[in-house]
Amino acid sequence: MRTKLYTVAAASAAALVLASCSSGDSGGGDSTAASGGLTGEGSGDSCTIEGEVPVGAVLSLTGAAASYGESQQRGLELAAAELAEQDGVTYDLTIEDDQTDPRQAITLFDEFVNDGASLVIGPTLSNAAVQADPIAQEAGVPVLGISNTAAGVTEIGDYIFRDSLTEQAVIPQTIEAATEQFGLENVVVMYSNDDAFTESGYEAFAAALEEQGVEISETITFSKSDTDFRALLTQAQESDPDAIVVSALIEAAVPLVTQARELGIDVPIIGGNGFNNPRLMADAGEAAEGVVVGAAWNSSSDNPENQAFLEAYEAEYGAQPDQFAAQAYTGLKLVDQAVRANCSAERDSIQEALGQIENVPTVLGEFSIDENRDADHPAVVQVVENGSFAVLE
């Protein structure tokens, strides 16, 4: 289902200029599949490309992950609007809904590849990425994941990138901070074992807890569609843990946190990336207070890119952004930077330029893409205070 079509004239923001980029053959896929006229003249802000640059985005706008996808759509829309005010490069950005269904994501990736997209953004969930990304990899079409945090996603191939920190990058810092803050010695771990993202989060939590010398007294699994956790929480309570560690999507996180407090469980609850959603506070209310969540972004960051983003987002939507909006916004700006690096929207050129992004000031902080095509920037440990995320200090 086609949800939006944007055509925007875009140029790099001054802050998003590559320190250095060299042109050359990446040895990758067939760039001729993309539309013609995608190589221009100049570079950076002076780059001019005559043809429209086709970019596809596959987001979960309906279904279980819709709250994440909706935030991502807003982030992309805001970035597109800002880029439209510039000259030199015109983007034809098409956003499609995968309905939180990996099969639909596969279909949409196939369509974008065959329609000549220069790059595909998404999909929202890691389990969809694991199934859809190989289609783009085989065709030599770059993919930029903006929320895929499960282990192994970029191992699919050399055309797969992400600007989202992995659970393996964020969770160790979260557990280290929580162990120091709360004196953790033993915990109960709960996770949904039917989703690649939450399973990866569990694995990262287990490794981080072992590293900190914290005992896992019990591991409890559930389905991502479950909403009644009272029996499982009662089981967890019997272990008398110092904290409950949870890897779950927001649809499970809200009732789990709410029911835990209703049962009188007052130990800290430590969540994975799926907890990074304003719905946690909006829907769980007072029960969300004190929940600890590792994150790739926090609104309190005072870097100028973030402050400008916060102001623009609130002016446009009358609300504060979340991490998913921030990562989507950054993603489109990074795409523009990659296009302008060699003044080319050919697939191989974008793939090469994305791999050379280093120490770029962004909404997410100083940003690089490492040798594994993963995001590299500072993480932050948050705690819910007075209905919003604050930095755990």
Side-chain angles (χ1 to χ4, degrees), residues 2-83:
R2 177 161 290 185
T3 60
K4 278 284 188 182
L5 176 64
Y6 305 95
T7 300
V8 299
S12 292
L16 293 181
V17 178
L18 283 172
S20 63
C21 283
S22 60
S23 61
D25 181 12
S26 68
D30 179 12
S31 64
T32 61
S35 301
L38 297 184
T39 299
E41 298 179 350
S43 65
D45 289 339
S46 67
C47 170
T48 300
I49 297 175
E50 292 186 3
E52 291 186 343
V53 178
V55 175
V58 176
L59 308 179
S60 296
L61 301 176
T62 57
S67 59
Y68 305 124
E70 290 166 1
S71 290
Q72 292 175 324
Q73 181 179 11
R74 286 183 168 189
L76 288 176
E77 287 177 344
L78 183 60
E82 291 179 2
L83 294 173

Side-chain angles (χ1 to χ4, degrees), residues 96-279:
E96 300 272 11
D97 178 19
D98 70 9
Q99 304 165 36
T100 318
D101 183 348
R103 295 169 297 181
Q104 180 67 6
I106 291 170
T107 297
L108 294 173
F109 264 62
D110 191 57
E111 289 178 359
F112 279 131
V113 166
N114 291 330
D115 288 347
S118 291
L119 174 138
V120 180
I121 294 173
T124 298
L125 293 185
S126 294
N127 60 341
V130 168
Q131 298 187 51
D133 284 1
I135 295 171
Q137 173 64 33
E138 183 176 355
V141 179
V143 173
L144 181 63
I146 53 175
S147 57
N148 305 145
T149 60
V153 170
T154 54
E155 294 175 11
I156 291 169
D158 58 351
Y159 278 72
I160 312 303
F161 301 80
R162 53 182 162 190
D163 76 354
S164 44
L165 287 178
T166 65
E167 293 283 65
Q168 287 72 17
V170 176
I171 284 175
Q173 297 181 50
T174 307
I175 292 300
E176 181 179 7
T179 300
E180 180 178 351
Q181 182 82 5
F182 305 114
L184 303 183
E185 295 183 1
N186 77 91
V187 300
V188 169
V189 176
M190 302 179 68
Y191 75 101
S192 57
N193 62 352
D194 55 354
D195 180 83
F197 159 67
T198 53
E199 287 182 336
S200 180
Y202 158 70
E203 293 168 358
F205 272 128
L209 289 163
E210 181 179 7
E211 177 69 22
Q212 292 297 318
V214 179
E215 179 185 356
I216 300 176
S217 56
E218 189 166 10
T219 300
I220 300 173
T221 62
F222 54 89
S223 170
K224 64 182 178 182
S225 62
D226 288 347
T227 57
D228 187 347
F229 298 96
R230 292 175 180 84
L232 297 180
L233 287 165
T234 298
Q235 178 183 341
Q237 194 173 23
E238 292 172 354
S239 295
D240 191 26
D242 296 323
I244 296 178
V245 177
V246 185
S247 181
L249 297 176
I250 194 65
E251 287 71 21
V254 168
L256 191 153
V257 167
T258 303
Q259 292 161 24
R261 299 318 187 203
E262 289 174 350
L263 291 170
I265 298 174
D266 59 3
V267 298
I269 296 176
I270 303 168
N273 193 46
F275 281 57
N276 276 313
N277 192 303
R279 282 184 54 195

